[in-house]
Amino acid sequence: MAETDGAQDRKPTSDEAHSAFTPPPGIEPEPVDADQPTSEFAVPEGLPPVPAEPEGSAFAPPATYSAQNSPPAHLPGHGLPVSRMTESPWQDRMRTMLRMPVDVRPVPEAVHKHSETGPAVGRVLDLTLRIGELLLAGGEGAEDVEAAMFAVARSYGLDRCEPTVTFTLLSITHQPSLIDDPVSASRTVRRRGTDYTRLAAVYQLVDDISAHEIELSLEDAYRRLAEIRRNRHPYPSWILTAAAGLLAGAASTLVGGGVFVFFAAAIGAMLGDRLAWLCAGRGLPEFYQFVVAAMPPAAIGVALKLAETDVRASAVITGGLFALLPGRALVAAVQDGLTGFYITASARLLEVMYLFIGIIMGVLVVLYLGLQLGASPKPEEVLQITQRPLIQIAASMVLVFTFAILLQQERSTVWIVTLNGGVAWVTFGALHYAGGIPPVPSTAIAAGLVGLFGQLFSRYRFASALPYTTAAIGPLLPGSATYYGLLLIAENRLNEGLGSLVNAAAIALAIAIGVNLGSETSRLFMRIPGAASAAKRRAAKRTRGF
C-alpha cells in the first residue's frame, strides 16, 4: 500500500506530462543514438562548459545581442548593434523547425517562464494568437507569422504545437503527448492597419520571450502586449497627408516634372488623401477609398491640359499614382506564394487586384470626362522621361522617406530605408538608362538588392525586414506604365492600353520576386539550424509537378 501511495504521489499532472517521450520518474533514460535528434541547447552533465565559438550554437542567442543590457556595439540612441553574418536569429530557427516533422524537432531546454505546475496551456495559446494577429494585420508574411507564433508557444513550454495562418484566420493546436487530446484555439483578423512601429514592438516582444536569459512571465508578456495595442501612431494625420503630397511631388519629379508639376502633384495627392480619410470615416470599403483618392491628381492633370499650358500634365497624374499603387500588399502576396502559403497568397493577390481596379476606375472616369471636354493628352509624352541623374536620385530618396512615414515607421529606420531606396534607384538607372537593359530585368535586379540589404539590416536589429524593404521599392513602382495604359484605354486604344497594363503588372511582379529572392539570398550567409535527420529538408518540400 505504501508503494502504491508513493506511486500516486509521483504521478505527474496533465500539464507536466507534455511529452510522450519523457521517461517516468525513477527510470534512467536510455543512451541516445548518434543519429537520433537530441537537444542542442544544454551541455551533458559532467562536461565542462564549451567556450563559445565564432559560429556557436544556432539555437543560442547571438553573443552580441542582449535585450536587457545593450552591448558596446550599440550606437547612442537608436543605433545598430553589430552582428556576425553567420548568426541566426529566432526567425530562422523557428522557420527551420516548422519545416521539420514534430517527432524530430530538437527538444527545448527546461524553461522557467511559467508556474511549477506547468504552462497554462489556454493562456499561452491565447497570447500566441494575439501576437500573431498583430503581425498578420501589420502586413507580415504568413511564414514569418507562423515562426513568431511557434517561438512564443515553444518558449513557454508548448513544444508540440502546430500554428496555421491564412489571410483572415489564425489557429494553433497543441498536443501534450501522443495519448492526450489536442487543444486548439483560433482567432479571426478583422481589421488591418499599417503601423511598422507597432510591428517592430511586437517583434521585440517575441525576441524577449524567446531569449533564454530573460525571465518574462505570461503576465508581463500580456502587459507589454496591451501597451503595444494601446500605443498611438507615431505620426499624426496631418503629417501623413503632407507626406502623401511630398511623395506624389517627388514621384512627379522622378518622371520628368518641374517645380510647378511638383506642387500640382502634391496638392492633388493631399486632396485625394483627405477625401479617402473622409470616406474611411463614413465606413466605405477600401475599394471606394482608392477610387476617390485617384480622382484629384487626375483632375488637376486634366485641368492643366484644358488650360493649354506647357506643364507636363502626365507627370502630375503619374505622381498621384505612385502614392496609391499597393506595392506593400503585392510584395506580401508574392512572398506568401513563393513560400507555399497559396491560400493566403491568392487572397492577397485578389485584394491587390481590387485596389488596382479602384485606381483604374478613378483615373479613367476623370480622363474620359477630360476627353469629352476637349483635353488633348499626348500619350507619347509619358514615355519621354528626361534623364537628370542627380535630381532623380534626390527625388527617389525623398519618395522613399515620405513612403516610410506613411508606413508609420520608427524614426531610427526611416533614414536606413531611405538609403536603401536610393541605392535601388541608382542600380535601376545604371542598368536601364545607362546600360540599355529592359525595365523588367532592371527592376528585378534593383528590387533584389532592396531585399538583400533590407534582410541584412533587419538582422542587425533582429527585427522584421518589412520596415527596411517596403518603402525602398517606392521609386521602382510602375506609375508611368500604369498611366500610359489608362490613357490609351481612355482614347479607345484598348490593345495598346492593355499591353501597357500587362507591362506594369510584369514590373510589379519583378519587384515582388526580386525582393523575395534578395531576402532568401541573404540566408545563404547565415548558419541555419537543423537536426541531422532534417539536413536535407532545409527548404519546404515541393511536389515538382508530380
Side-chain angles (χ1 to χ4, degrees):
M1 181 64 67
E3 293 181 358
T4 303
D5 295 338
Q8 292 177 353
D9 294 337
R10 292 192 303 268
K11 183 178 179 181
T13 62
S14 58
D15 284 336
E16 292 173 343
H18 63 276
S19 175
F21 303 99
T22 304
I27 299 180
E28 294 294 332
E30 298 181 359
V32 180
D33 187 30
D35 294 332
Q36 182 177 349
T38 59
S39 174
E40 298 180 14
F41 293 88
V43 178
E45 296 182 0
L47 294 180
V50 180
E53 298 179 357
E55 293 185 353
S57 171
F59 291 90
T64 57
Y65 177 74
S66 175
Q68 291 178 328
N69 302 315
S70 299
H74 277 281
L75 298 176
H78 299 281
L80 299 179
V82 178
S83 62
R84 291 186 293 270
M85 289 299 301
T86 55
E87 294 174 350
S88 179
W90 62 265
Q91 294 100 312
D92 291 322
R93 300 200 304 270
M94 297 302 110
R95 280 162 53 104
T96 302
M97 282 189 281
L98 276 174
R99 292 171 177 176
M100 298 164 56
V102 177
D103 56 340
V104 299
R105 289 174 183 167
V107 180
E109 281 185 324
V111 293
H112 302 284
K113 298 181 180 181
H114 50 74
S115 61
E116 297 181 356
T117 59
V121 177
R123 297 191 65 196
V124 171
L125 296 183
D126 179 72
L127 176 67
T128 302
L129 290 172
R130 291 178 182 273
I131 290 177
E133 178 191 11
L134 286 182
L135 292 176
L136 187 63
E140 192 61 82
E143 186 176 34
D144 293 325
V145 175
E146 281 195 358
M149 293 172 64
F150 185 73
V152 174
R154 186 180 177 86
S155 299
Y156 285 110
L158 306 184
D159 55 309
R160 298 176 61 85
C161 282
E162 287 295 338
T164 303
V165 175
T166 59
F167 187 58
T168 58
L169 182 65
L170 300 168
S171 63
I172 186 169
T173 301
H174 168 61
Q175 188 172 12
S177 69
L178 295 178
I179 59 175
D180 291 329
D181 295 331
V183 180
S184 299
S186 62
R187 192 172 182 88
T188 302
V189 180
R190 302 189 183 277
R191 297 189 62 183
R192 300 177 184 275
T194 303
D195 188 342
Y196 282 179
T197 300
R198 177 179 295 175
L199 187 70
V202 177
Y203 258 82
Q204 183 61 51
L205 174 60
V206 177
D207 191 28
D208 291 345
I209 291 175
S210 58
H212 295 282
E213 69 272 13
I214 299 179
E215 296 295 334
L216 190 65
S217 64
L218 273 174
E219 289 73 15
D220 293 335
Y222 265 109
R223 188 180 303 110
R224 286 183 54 178
L225 185 63
E227 293 175 357
I228 292 172
R229 297 180 68 96
R230 286 196 302 265
N231 281 347
R232 302 179 63 87
H233 298 306
Y235 308 106
S237 60
W238 68 269
I239 290 184
L240 298 182
T241 301
L246 288 176
L247 190 155
S252 65
T253 305
L254 198 65
V255 296
V259 177
F260 186 82
V261 170
F262 179 93
F263 286 103
I267 293 174
M270 287 190 289
L271 288 176
D273 182 77
R274 286 290 91 192
L275 289 176
W277 278 91
L278 181 63
C279 294
R282 297 297 184 271
L284 289 179
E286 197 171 15
F287 173 82
Y288 300 106
Q289 298 175 29
F290 272 75
V291 173
V292 172
M295 288 183 174
I300 292 179
V302 170
L304 292 176
K305 273 298 179 182
L306 290 174
E308 297 181 355
T309 60
D310 295 333
V311 178
R312 289 176 60 97
S314 61
V316 176
I317 303 177
T318 303
L321 290 177
F322 268 90
L324 296 176
L325 293 177
R328 174 182 59 87
L330 178 64
V331 171
V334 174
Q335 177 183 352
D336 287 341
L338 293 177
T339 52
F341 294 83
Y342 301 116
I343 297 177
T344 306
S346 301
R348 280 180 163 164
L349 283 175
L350 186 62
E351 180 187 38
V352 171
M353 185 188 72
Y354 272 108
L355 299 181
F356 192 69
I357 292 176
I359 297 172
I360 291 175
M361 289 182 59
V363 175
L364 276 181
V365 168
V366 177
L367 290 179
Y368 181 77
L369 292 177
L371 290 175
Q372 299 302 315
L373 294 175
S376 56
K378 300 177 181 179
E380 63 278 1
E381 182 186 78
V382 181
L383 304 179
Q384 295 174 356
I385 300 177
T386 306
Q387 298 183 25
R388 302 172 295 176
L390 295 180
I391 295 178
Q392 287 178 317
I393 292 173
S396 67
M397 297 183 72
V398 172
L399 190 155
V400 175
F401 179 83
T402 53
F403 198 179
I405 293 178
L406 288 175
L407 294 174
Q408 302 278 4
Q409 290 190 198
E410 291 181 296
R411 292 173 176 83
S412 60
T413 64
V414 170
W415 302 105
I416 301 174
V417 72
T418 300
L419 178 62
N420 197 11
V423 172
W425 177 255
V426 169
T427 304
F428 173 79
L431 294 174
H432 180 56
Y433 295 120
I437 300 177
V440 174
S442 300
T443 302
I445 295 173
L449 290 179
V450 169
L452 175 62
F453 292 151
Q455 197 67 231
L456 298 183
F457 280 134
S458 70
R459 289 307 186 258
Y460 278 104
R461 301 289 295 271
F462 294 94
S464 171
L466 289 181
Y468 303 96
T469 57
T470 304
I473 66 174
L476 305 176
L477 293 174
S480 298
T482 302
Y483 172 61
Y484 183 64
L486 296 179
L487 189 56
L488 292 175
I489 292 175
E491 292 184 342
N492 204 23
R493 298 160 62 179
L494 295 180
N495 292 335
E496 299 177 50
L498 292 177
S500 181
L501 291 181
V502 170
N503 183 42
I507 293 175
L509 289 177
I511 293 174
I513 294 175
V515 170
N516 181 264
L517 183 60
S519 300
E520 295 296 333
T521 302
S522 67
R523 294 188 174 94
L524 296 177
F525 302 98
M526 301 175 187
R527 181 179 176 182
I528 305 297
S533 61
K536 297 181 180 179
R537 294 201 60 192
R538 292 176 180 173
K541 190 174 181 180
R542 299 288 178 262
T543 59
R544 299 193 182 119
F546 54 84

